[in-house]
């Protein structure tokens, strides 16, 4: 059976109105790095949904004569933003077969981020999730019979077609995406919220240390491509599947020492893939490594389960339980802020997922 079929909207009709959604960023604990086909992941991944790092998107929609391509205007933080058009064009081309009624509407899209654009924080996950949710409002306006479960699952499905990790930015507090036999109903098509989560992980903290606010020199999309033919690809995808299996138990029981070990291994494995691809590339900066060393010293001395993870960049995500906040905050201020560009960092924490505004 073609599983995608369930997401084809056959309802026809016109509608007019507006929709506003705020969708959070997410930080992967087990990383998605390598894809195939129509944005399917080579391995399953699991992430914390964040709270304060988010994108808010408003879409005003009105009927027009049907065209082959989706017709839209796009403004980012109050100004026209043609640099985003190629990504948006690709997104709309991919989703049109699933929401054909979009061809008969014009969309006026306005988007803004809660975090500075030049922070080095990837915004494609939150941006694509917020936009996908607005599109689902348009579908729901034409076809009010769709269930809330279908609405959110299809929003994640559409978001994935914009950016893989965006599939994990609809729900919270932890979301898995990609087929894995230990995860109920897991799918390459959309993300699902994890059910059995130890209370410690529902309030986990993520302080994002902004080491390098410059633009990424290597896009995630290229990084994924470099996993094709990568000498360690098979081992990496197996490792990720095994880490997913282990992490499920850890998240359920709250075994923090295992959490630290697993999450740091995943972050370093991701960067090991970059270091050993052809061409190779290094996204960590000297300050990234200084921060990692300082975290490990602090952990050894205090026994506080503070750990780090990285995404495709130089910034460091510091992960720790909410109960440790009082002890971690002065350490961040004295030992880590000096390694941040202009002393900048973002205090974030695990969140519940996207919100309709
Ligand atoms: C390192 O989702 O940005 O953040 O699907 O090409 O848009 P595309 O890639 P993207 O890749 C995210 C990579 C990562 C790991 C992760 O979030 O799992």
């Amino acid at each position: 059976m073609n599983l995608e079929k369930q997401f084809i909207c056959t309802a026809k009709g016109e509608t007019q109105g507006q929709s506003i959604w705020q969708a959070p960023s997410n930080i992967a604990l087990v990383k998605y790095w390598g894809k195939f086909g129509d944005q399917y992941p080579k391995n399953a991944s699991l992430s914390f949904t964040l709270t304060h790092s988010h994108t808010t998107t408003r879409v005003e929609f009105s009927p027009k004569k049907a065209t082959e391509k989706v017709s839209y205007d796009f403004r980012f933080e109050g100004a026209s933003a043609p640099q985003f058009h190629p990504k948006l064009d690709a997104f709309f081309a991919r989703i049109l077969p699933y929401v054909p009624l979009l061809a008969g509407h014009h969309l006026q899209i306005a988007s803004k981020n809660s975090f500075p654009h030049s922070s080095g924080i990837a915004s494609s996950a939150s941006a694509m999730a917020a936009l996908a949710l607005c599109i689902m409002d348009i579908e729901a306006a034409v076809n009010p019979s769709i269930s809330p479960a279908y609405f959110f699952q299809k929003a994640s499905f559409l978001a994935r077609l914009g950016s893989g990790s965006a599939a994990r930015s609809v729900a919270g507090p932890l979301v898995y995406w990609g087929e894995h036999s230990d995860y109920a109903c897991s799918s390459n098509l959309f993300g699902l919220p994890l059910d059995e989560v130890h209370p410690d992980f529902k309030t986990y903290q993520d302080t994002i240390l902004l080491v390098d606010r410059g633009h990424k020199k290597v896009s995630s999309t290229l990084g994924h491509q470099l996993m094709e033919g990568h000498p360690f690809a098979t081992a990496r995808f197996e490792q990720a599947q095994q880490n997913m299996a282990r992490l499920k138990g850890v998240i359920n029981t709250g075994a923090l020492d295992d959490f630290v070990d697993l999450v740091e291994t995943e972050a370093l494995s991701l960067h090991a893939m970059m270091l050993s691809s052809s061409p190779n590339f290094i996204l960590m900066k000297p300050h990234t490594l200084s921060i990692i060393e300082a975290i490990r010293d602090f952990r050894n001395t205090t026994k506080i389960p503070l750990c780090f993870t990285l995404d495709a960049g130089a910034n460091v995500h510091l992960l720790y339980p909410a109960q440790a906040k009082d002890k971690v905050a002065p350490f961040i201020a004295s030992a880590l802020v000096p390694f941040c560009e202009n002393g900048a960092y973002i205090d974030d924490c695990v969140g519940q997922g996207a919100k309709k505004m």
Side-chain angles (χ1 to χ4, degrees):
M1 190 181 80
N2 177 353
L3 291 169
E4 261 98 351
K5 256 192 171 158
Q6 61 180 310
F7 292 118
I8 297 174
C9 169
T10 52
K12 290 192 177 77
E14 290 179 344
T15 181
Q16 179 148 18
Q18 74 159 19
S19 156
I20 307 177
W21 278 89
Q22 185 181 88
S25 187
N26 70 75
I27 180 68
L29 304 172
V30 172
K31 309 292 181 181
Y32 147 60
W33 199 244
K35 56 177 162 181
F36 69 99
D38 219 4
Q39 295 266 100
Y40 306 128
K42 281 286 207 169
N43 59 263
S45 59
L46 177 70
S47 53
F48 276 144
T49 303
L50 297 182
T51 301
H52 303 304
S53 307
H54 53 67
T55 300
T56 305
T57 297
R58 186 186 68 221
V59 177
E60 292 171 354
F61 43 94
S62 49
K64 65 149 187 63
K65 196 167 169 286
T67 41
E68 261 176 40
K69 276 174 72 179
V70 176
S71 137
Y72 69 89
D73 300 317
F74 179 71
R75 292 177 78 78
F76 180 67
E77 297 188 340
S80 68
Q83 70 273 28
F84 293 110
H85 284 213
K87 193 135 195 179
L88 285 165
D89 287 343
F91 171 67
F92 282 123
R94 278 195 183 135
I95 70 162
L96 191 57
Y98 301 102
V99 202
L101 58 88
L102 284 182
H105 291 85
H106 178 74
L107 315 181
Q108 257 183 311
I109 310 167
S111 195
K112 59 178 191 226
N113 290 341
S114 64
F115 43 88
H117 184 53
S118 59
S119 61
I121 296 185
S123 58
S124 63
S126 52
M128 288 301 175
L131 182 55
L133 285 154
C134 293
I135 305 273
M136 284 311 295
D137 269 346
I138 304 176
E139 176 170 331
V142 172
N143 182 14
S145 68
I146 59 178
S147 70
Y150 181 86
F151 181 97
F152 288 107
Q153 217 163 79
K154 182 164 174 185
S156 171
F157 170 87
L158 296 178
R160 183 199 102 241
L161 292 169
S163 180
S165 55
R168 302 187 313 244
S169 266
V170 172
L174 282 106
V175 177
Y176 57 96
W177 165 50
E179 286 169 13
H180 193 293
S181 53
D182 290 4
Y183 287 76
C185 307
S186 58
S187 169
N188 284 345
L189 304 187
F190 49 80
L192 285 169
L194 189 64
D195 274 341
E196 287 160 6
V197 176
H198 187 278
D200 279 358
F201 291 116
K202 292 184 181 164
T203 56
Y204 232 65
Q205 304 296 300
D206 177 6
T207 301
I208 311 166
L209 303 168
L210 305 177
V211 172
D212 180 22
R213 306 164 67 137
H215 283 285
K216 284 194 276 187
K217 284 179 197 66
V218 179
S219 71
S220 299
T221 304
L222 178 62
H224 289 290
Q225 272 171 26
L226 294 176
M227 287 306 284
E228 283 163 34
H230 192 294
F232 306 141
T234 307
R236 163 59 200 154
F237 302 140
E238 274 170 18
Q239 178 197 39
Q241 291 299 84
Q242 281 164 13
N243 285 343
M244 282 295 285
R246 266 182 74 200
L247 192 58
K248 187 165 184 255
V250 167
I251 297 290
N252 184 0
T253 59
L256 292 183
D257 290 344
D258 291 342
F259 179 79
V260 166
D261 175 49
L262 243 159
V263 166
E264 292 192 350
T265 298
E266 271 294 315
L268 295 175
S269 262
L270 168 71
H271 282 258
M273 291 304 109
M274 302 172 188
L275 298 175
S276 53
S277 64
S278 178
N280 60 58
F281 55 104
I282 307 175
L283 296 184
M284 290 184 285
K285 296 283 179 196
H287 283 175
T288 311
L289 295 177
S290 301
I291 289 171
I292 291 175
E293 276 190 344
I295 292 169
R296 291 185 160 182
D297 286 347
F298 176 82
R299 189 165 70 226
N300 284 338
T301 323
T302 62
K303 307 295 171 215
I304 292 171
L306 170 72
C307 70
F308 70 86
T309 189
L310 307 166
D311 59 16
N315 295 336
V316 180
H317 289 248
L318 273 183
L319 303 178
Y320 51 99
Q323 306 91 281
K325 228 172 158 175
D326 290 351
K327 297 214 169 78
V328 173
F331 165 68
I332 294 174
S334 63
L336 303 183
V337 166
F339 295 122
C340 298
E341 198 175 327
N342 304 323
Y345 65 93
I346 296 170
D347 260 327
D348 213 330
C349 59
V350 168
Q352 294 312 307
K355 286 187 213 146
K356 190 168 163 72
M357 308 306 278

